[in-house]
Amino acid sequence: MMSSSFGLVLSVLATLVVASSANFHNDVNITWGDGRGKILENGELLTLTLDKWSGSGFESKDEYLFGKIEMSIKLVPGNSAGLVTTYYLRSHGKTWDEIDFEFLGNSTGQPITIHTNVYCGGKGDREQQFHLWFDPSQDFHTYTILWNPKRIIFSVDNTVIREFNNMESMGVPFPTKQPMRMYASFWNADDWATRGGLVKTDYNLAPFTASYRRYKAEVCVWSNGKSSCPSSAAWMTEELDVATKQKLQDIQKKHMIYNYCTDTNRFAATGLPKECTAPPK
Ligand SMILES: *[C@@H]1O[C@H](CO)[C@@H](O)[C@H](O)[C@H]1NC(C)=O
Ligand SMILES: *[C@@H]1O[C@H](CO)[C@@H](O)[C@H](O)[C@H]1NC(C)=O
């Protein structure tokens, strides 16, 4: 009797813990868009909409100093030219750190661009862009940012597309001190997003909707000036093995459409950034 009701309590608790790891009501606040962002299906689905007047966005309630965050996202199908959907980590202030996934819309049938960037101390300029091996508007796909003291790893459906290593010892800044929050947004950027601003958003198709599911934050939560990590956090020391590094090279060869590290025109005056010319580790 005692033990079975104790078991029941435990299983109810376990269910609560599991549920809270993927419930938008618990994890995020919709912060702008005047009702255009909605949490649906008991917290399992979050939709952001955009029309002529506004986009919308949300952010995590907690701040993190290191973590592995994961989100399934389904982008606007059809003509999404001019629209930008985002999912990123960012700290406060003028010398902020930021780790970005951005999805740049396109005309019907044209590829959506996955844009990634890393900012340290308010300075970015570390863009790598991809056209993926699937159409990200047809279904939900999982986008992961792993951020530990040694490296940042971007993955799509568990396939690594980018790694940014901590090379502070060579004078390359790396985010290790400022806690970040997860942000997501959906906005109009038809002044630059699609083919450099040539293709405008078609508001006859509005409202547009981007959908988010299965947010999973395995993180060290920042509170009162210190960060508390879970007792087992394999991602804190995660690194790519040889086979994964090889696969990453193949993926980048096939799917990367822009790499700041090879943009010699852009960096003609200063030379390529240090992290681009460092010998591979
Ligand atoms: C989220 O919303 C709750 C309830 O309105 C509020 O108390 C809290 O400060 C908000 N958190 C953030 C990070 O905006
Ligand atoms: C849109 O499609 C064009 C033509 O295929 C392509 O060059 C471009 O990279 C795509 N993405 C954006 C964001 O313009």
Side-chain angles (χ1 to χ4, degrees):
M1 190 60 194
M2 276 284 285
S3 72
S4 81
S5 62
F6 184 60
L8 180 64
V9 170
L10 275 186
S11 75
V12 168
L13 278 177
T15 313
L16 285 175
V17 170
V18 169
S20 74
S21 71
N23 188 308
F24 286 115
H25 286 299
N26 298 333
D27 297 339
V28 310
N29 283 348
I30 293 176
T31 42
W32 63 282
D34 198 17
R36 290 175 180 81
K38 287 196 181 70
I39 297 177
L40 305 164
E41 299 183 6
N42 294 316
E44 289 184 10
L45 172 67
L46 193 156
T47 57
L48 294 181
T49 61
L50 176 144
D51 56 35
K52 218 177 189 160
W53 298 277
S54 179
S56 46
F58 63 100
E59 62 188 55
S60 63
K61 292 184 186 177
D62 288 332
E63 289 183 289
Y64 323 131
L65 189 64
F66 304 119
K68 180 178 182 179
I69 64 163
E70 220 168 84
M71 183 87 82
S72 294
I73 306 173
K74 182 172 186 273
L75 300 169
V76 176
N79 184 357
S80 61
L83 304 178
V84 174
T85 310
T86 71
Y87 159 58
Y88 59 104
L89 289 167
R90 186 189 162 126
S91 67
H92 299 290
K94 273 194 187 149
T95 54
W96 77 97
D97 300 327
E98 183 173 324
I99 307 170
D100 290 327
F101 263 116
E102 290 187 4
F103 305 87
L104 313 182
N106 217 334
S107 313
T108 306
Q110 301 300 319
I112 288 170
T113 296
I114 312 297
H115 171 102
T116 64
N117 204 352
V118 176
Y119 284 72
C120 297
K123 189 180 171 299
D125 300 337
R126 299 191 177 90
E127 302 87 353
Q128 289 186 347
Q129 296 184 333
F130 304 82
H131 283 163
L132 295 181
W133 50 96
F134 56 85
D135 175 354
S137 72
Q138 288 308 298
D139 230 320
F140 284 92
H141 291 272
T142 304
Y143 302 91
T144 305
I145 297 173
L146 183 149
W147 168 41
N148 73 27
K150 292 282 175 59
R151 58 192 61 83
I152 293 164
I153 299 171
F154 296 83
S155 313
V156 177
D157 291 337
N158 293 318
T159 296
V160 177
I161 61 163
R162 176 174 188 180
E163 179 182 35
F164 184 80
N165 284 297
N166 183 333
M167 291 189 258
E168 281 180 302
S169 63
M170 298 179 47
V172 180
F174 187 88
T176 56
K177 294 189 182 66
Q178 308 190 77
M180 302 203 229
R181 212 180 275 289
M182 182 275 294
Y183 294 87
S185 62
F186 184 32
W187 47 286
N188 174 49
D190 68 1
D191 51 339
W192 61 268
T194 306
R195 300 180 56 208
L198 287 177
V199 189
K200 299 294 172 195
T201 302
D202 181 358
Y203 284 111
N204 292 320
L205 303 169
F208 298 97
T209 303
S211 306
Y212 296 76
R213 281 189 188 278
R214 290 185 286 275
Y215 179 54
K216 188 169 159 198
E218 298 174 87
V219 291
C220 306
V221 173
W222 181 263
S223 160
N224 298 318
K226 69 179 217 300
S227 118
S228 321
C229 301
S231 51
S232 73
W235 49 265
M236 271 299 268
T237 52
E238 195 166 321
E239 57 185 322
L240 304 184
D241 60 25
V242 175
T244 310
K245 277 187 199 269
Q246 181 60 53
K247 189 167 178 208
L248 171 59
Q249 281 189 9
D250 295 345
I251 288 281
Q252 292 193 337
K253 211 175 282 169
K254 281 200 192 116
H255 299 284
M256 193 189 280
I257 59 159
Y258 177 78
N259 183 1
Y260 76 112
C261 274
T262 57
D263 195 341
T264 46
N265 286 338
R266 176 177 175 189
F267 296 104
T270 52
L272 287 174
K274 273 185 221 159
E275 67 270 25
C276 299
T277 50
K281 295 205 300 171

